[in-house]
Amino acid sequence: MQQFAEVIVDVPTQQTDQPYTYEIPPDLVGQIQPGMRVIVPFGTRRVLGFLVRVIEHKPDVSFEIKPIEEVLDLAPVLSDELLQLSDWLAKWTFSFKISCLQAMLPAAMRASYGKKIRLTTTEVSADVKLLFGEKQELPFDTKNLSARAFRTLSKLNRENKAEIVYEVRDRAQSKSITMITGLLTPAQITQEKAKTRINALRLQQLLDFLLDLGSARLSQKDAEVQTGLAASVFTQGQKKGWLKKSQVEEYRDPYSTAEISKTEPQKLKPAQTKAVAEIETEIKKQSEQVFLLQGVTGSGKTEVYLYAIACALAQKKTALMLVPEISLTPQMVHRVRGRFGSNVAVLHSGLSEGEKYDEWRRIERKEATVVVGARSAVFAPLDNIGVIIMDEEHETSYKQESMPEYHARDVAIKRGQWHHCPVVLGSATPSLESRARAQKGVYRWLRLDERINGQPLPAVKLVNMQDELKRAPAVDISGPLLEAIKERIARNEQVVLMLNRRGYSSFIMCRECGFVLKCPNCDISLTMHMDSHSMKCHYCGHEEPIPNICPSCHSKKIRYYGTGTEKVQQELEKLLPDVSILRMDVDTTKRKGAHSRLLQKFGAKEANILLGTQMIAKGLDFPDVTLVGVLNADTALSLPNFRSAERTFQLLTQVSGRAGRADKTGEVLIQTFNPEHYAIQLAKNQNYEQFFGMEMNMRHRGGYPPYFFTIQIVINGTNEAEVAKKIFEVNGQLTQILSQQAVVLGPTPKPIMRVNNRFYYQLVIKYKNEPKLDQFLKELLQNSQQDMRRNLQLTIDRDPVDFI
DNA sequence: CAACTCAGGTCA
DNA sequence: GACCTGAGTTGG
């Protein structure tokens, strides 16, 4: 029987964002299923596609239906659940279906495309022969070929002397190793030894080795090391029929399994016991209840998670645990692996493409039943999920900033509904959205108010920089902070200093004329990098040397301004010459594993001070840290962002939790220019509940989330006038369809208006209930295709993290 | 997105 | 006639 298939092709554009129909070749009928990846002809090209539906009858269409060319998977790589989820995701985030499907799989399972040109005749001119050499085929792409060669080859193609071959390759490659098995009995080996010339030393050695090996199997690599024999000797042995080589698939294990030491469940405090009991009941009831587990730092949230996971496993189910990338530290991974051993798969950005793929497959083959991972792990191919946990649920890194712009929390809850399992959102400082839902009873509210070790939270002191600045020993370090640091160092304790870097950078300014060095492509000032001795643009990557004289007035008084970790490090080194400082920021942690190496060093007390940006605020736990200093608490406060108070509060609360976790009491010093600001005052008192009340008030008055939903529309293009015209046009259409209750902010140019020579304009819709809005936005996006020709791009972001 | 088609140009 | 360029169209 003839079968057809609907395929979503790997061409992320508006007009190809629909299933295309292909014929299933007769020999594949019955085997091919939705969720498999296929290669299909698309125009003159061949592209990867996802099979989403099988249809039994030939659709009544006027165009030709082409057959599927190749099937890449033996079994579906996306389950029914994930296929449906991708549909929802595309609608919810206004993204292309293909982008959603790809987002669910490790990058290794995307296709890589290549073009080759193949000669079809031998009668070619001398220069063509030179180009091809001995080969029949050449890679054919504009990047690697000279203009001249490109021209000759194009001509060849036109004359039908060569054809262009389109290649689609699956990037996924499992790693395999060669195993050696002996084929001879000991008696046969003795015979062979006698037959082999005595001075054929290597072969004699190989036979001796095979005798030792017996019936065991060993990797060729290990065998080579043990015997000191070259690979060729083993190949000879294979030819003589002495041994068998076999390819065995090997998982790249990023954490060596040997190191896991089993850890036992801890005894729970009453509040924890209560939380665990409530979650367990819902797991057993298979309910879709969402919990908000609100617990101060050190109250043992992680232990509650581990109990919940254990419960799910006991029900013969699986568990998914999401953590922000930054707190996916070795400490954290150890803890989960220590409890559940090799059942745990870990997915995070530190893994190579291949490692991620291997972990993904372990999950898919049900070899791992517990998944711990960052944002994208929410799509882990787990079956039969018993509980989903999301730690630090307020973290903004759960929202993806590129297509599809999803929030992992929304996806987690959606998956919870499919699997009929509870979702646990945990945080010391919940997002206002979640906390408000807990208030209304949409989520069930669980609280852990006490710290496990019964220790009081560290004392938090504010340093008013307005007063201190005049007499401060350095621009960024006040007298009280310097004294406090000296005190700890004298006691051989450790200090963590955090520089809030958001919206802050060290730029160059001329003190004579006020000239600021800016990026030629983007609208922002260049940031100085001491390690590479250059000025870099953080948006487009433009790089140029640090100027000595002002390009504008030729004065020599051009200096850097602003605060960067490097500058603070230099200041500290001047003030405290004998103290060792570890710096942790984007520059020092760029390389793979650098992050955890730095932390290890600090843990081993190789340095007294750890100086870093936001990334040190989370997840680390060092017993000897008794002082935490925040150098600039309020840089984020001044940003035109309705979440800036929430962010500042969360960050300060979190970093405060880093001080004095063991037997030593900790102290926190916050340097601020706004000591009276409520976010800072309440962070000082670690009073989340009061902050929640105040901030909800502010949001209510301003008409911001969680009282209103928000959608951001951004238009960018190379011609500023056209961009502005388009956004005002959209604004006009919006006023037609929106009710009185909705508010549109803007249109305005984005604060950073020009990036890579493109202009950005935006508007934000705040609304409560707009039944026509989704349909309007969908059509807007579809019609935006016409504008592509005018080089205009339109993006829609639901629930944007901020409006800047 | 990439490739094709078509219209309108240039150049020897 | 051969080739280039840009705008517009199309993919099953």
Side-chain angles (χ1 to χ4, degrees), chain A residues 274-386:
Chain A
K274 183 170 170 287
V276 168
E278 288 209 32
I279 298 167
E280 283 185 349
T281 314
E282 301 304 316
I283 293 175
K284 287 175 189 159
K285 265 179 29 197
Q286 313 208 355
S287 95
E288 297 154 18
Q289 181 68 49
V290 179
F291 290 94
L292 175 64
L293 178 63
Q294 184 180 333
V296 294
T297 342
S299 60
K301 288 191 291 293
T302 310
E303 200 57 32
V304 174
Y305 304 151
L306 297 179
Y307 268 83
I309 294 171
C311 171
L313 295 183
Q315 304 291 308
K316 297 267 178 288
K317 295 195 169 210
T318 61
L320 175 58
M321 177 167 173
L322 301 168
V323 296
E325 185 67 58
I326 205 87
S327 53
L328 202 50
T329 52
Q331 293 175 19
M332 178 75 181
V333 172
H334 256 89
R335 200 153 163 203
V336 185
R337 288 202 140 198
R339 194 70 55 87
F340 304 109
S342 56
N343 288 327
V344 181
V346 181
L347 294 166
H348 65 88
S349 67
L351 304 181
S352 72
E353 204 174 271
E355 285 167 344
K356 272 188 213 155
Y357 174 57
D358 286 353
E359 287 293 90
W360 184 89
R361 276 184 337 141
R362 281 187 54 219
I363 305 164
E364 208 235 340
R365 295 184 177 179
K366 310 196 192 321
E367 290 169 24
T369 47
V370 179
V371 174
V372 186
R375 181 179 58 229
S376 62
V378 75
F379 298 116
L382 281 172
D383 236 11
N384 195 20
I385 302 178

Side-chain angles (χ1 to χ4, degrees), chain A residues 739-773:
Chain A
S739 72
Q740 291 293 309
Q741 215 183 18
V743 185
V744 177
L745 304 178
T748 49
K750 292 203 57 144
I752 296 158
M753 204 173 76
R754 195 163 58 117
V755 177
N756 252 330
N757 285 322
R758 296 186 76 87
F759 294 88
Y760 287 76
Y761 276 68
Q762 65 163 356
L763 61 81
V764 174
I765 310 159
K766 299 194 291 184
Y767 67 100
K768 285 198 173 185
N769 182 21
E770 296 295 329
K772 290 188 226 155
L773 186 57

Side-chain angles (χ1 to χ4, degrees), chain A residues 691-764:
Chain A
F691 175 78
F692 172 69
M694 292 206 50
E695 184 63 15
M696 282 298 272
N697 225 316
M698 303 289 279
R699 302 281 179 95
H700 186 63
R701 272 187 286 165
Y704 285 112
Y707 290 100
F708 279 79
F709 296 112
T710 54
I711 285 184
Q712 182 191 44
I713 302 178
V714 180
I715 295 177
N716 75 77
T718 44
N719 180 330
E720 186 175 3
E722 291 212 44
V723 175
K725 195 178 146 219
K726 182 71 195 174
I727 193 99
F728 277 99
E729 188 190 311
V730 172
N731 188 37
Q733 293 167 335
L734 275 170
T735 42
Q736 303 281 311
I737 67 126
L738 290 177
S739 72
Q740 291 293 309
Q741 215 183 18
V743 185
V744 177
L745 304 178
T748 49
K750 292 203 57 144
I752 296 158
M753 204 173 76
R754 195 163 58 117
V755 177
N756 252 330
N757 285 322
R758 296 186 76 87
F759 294 88
Y760 287 76
Y761 276 68
Q762 65 163 356
L763 61 81
V764 174

Side-chain angles (χ1 to χ4, degrees), chain A residues 202-203 206 220 224 229-239 245:
Chain A
R202 304 273 178 247
L203 289 178
L206 178 63
Q220 178 167 334
E224 283 171 25
L229 292 171
S232 58
V233 184
F234 290 92
T235 313
Q236 277 185 56
Q238 185 191 20
K239 277 185 196 148
K245 282 189 187 183

Side-chain angles (χ1 to χ4, degrees), chain A residues 122-131 152 156 161:
Chain A
T122 44
E123 296 153 38
V124 287
S125 59
D127 55 332
V128 175
K129 276 204 178 114
L130 198 72
L131 217 50
T152 359
L156 225 51
K161 288 181 180 166

Side-chain angles (χ1 to χ4, degrees), chain A residues 534-722:
Chain A
S534 65
M535 306 295 299
K536 284 182 196 165
C537 172
H538 283 193
Y539 286 85
C540 74
H542 169 86
E543 196 170 345
E544 58 181 85
I546 302 171
N548 296 318
I549 49 169
C550 171
S552 173
C553 72
H554 305 291
S555 146
K556 280 185 183 168
K557 292 193 177 169
I558 186 158
R559 304 268 170 75
Y560 57 86
Y561 266 70
T563 306
T565 40
E566 292 170 62
K567 196 179 136 226
V568 175
Q569 186 176 12
Q570 283 170 9
E571 283 181 9
L572 277 169
E573 279 165 353
K574 230 177 256 169
L575 293 168
L576 305 159
D578 303 325
V579 172
S580 61
I581 300 160
L582 272 181
R583 179 163 64 92
M584 189 155 150
D585 57 23
V586 258
D587 293 326
T588 59
T589 52
K590 234 183 291 175
R591 272 174 306 130
K592 192 182 159 186
H595 184 254
S596 60
R597 269 200 301 279
L598 276 175
L599 290 181
Q600 243 164 33
K601 267 189 171 178
F602 189 63
K605 296 196 80 172
E606 284 179 39
N608 309 91
I609 299 178
L610 178 67
L611 167 68
T613 49
Q614 270 86 327
M615 60 177 79
I616 60 172
K618 287 142 205 157
L620 38 125
D621 191 358
F622 298 108
D624 281 327
V625 173
T626 55
L627 174 67
V628 169
V630 181
L631 299 177
N632 52 345
D634 26 33
T635 44
L637 275 181
S638 52
L639 291 177
N641 176 354
F642 74 94
R643 279 188 222 270
S644 59
E646 184 184 356
R647 292 266 189 82
T648 303
F649 179 84
Q650 285 165 347
L651 189 65
L652 293 180
T653 310
Q654 221 158 36
V655 76
S656 301
R658 301 296 130 223
R661 293 197 97 179
D663 45 339
K664 296 163 187 148
T665 42
E667 191 186 358
V668 180
L669 241 80
I670 299 174
Q671 300 189 149
T672 170
F673 287 96
N674 302 292
E676 300 308 319
H677 193 284
Y678 68 99
I680 295 196
Q681 279 293 328
L682 293 171
K684 173 182 185 289
N685 302 328
Q686 310 258 316
N687 192 336
Y688 175 84
E689 286 303 306
Q690 203 184 337
F691 175 78
F692 172 69
M694 292 206 50
E695 184 63 15
M696 282 298 272
N697 225 316
M698 303 289 279
R699 302 281 179 95
H700 186 63
R701 272 187 286 165
Y704 285 112
Y707 290 100
F708 279 79
F709 296 112
T710 54
I711 285 184
Q712 182 191 44
I713 302 178
V714 180
I715 295 177
N716 75 77
T718 44
N719 180 330
E720 186 175 3
E722 291 212 44

Side-chain angles (χ1 to χ4, degrees), chain A residues 110 437 440 519:
Chain A
R110 295 188 188 183
R437 279 183 197 145
K440 282 173 72 180
C519 173

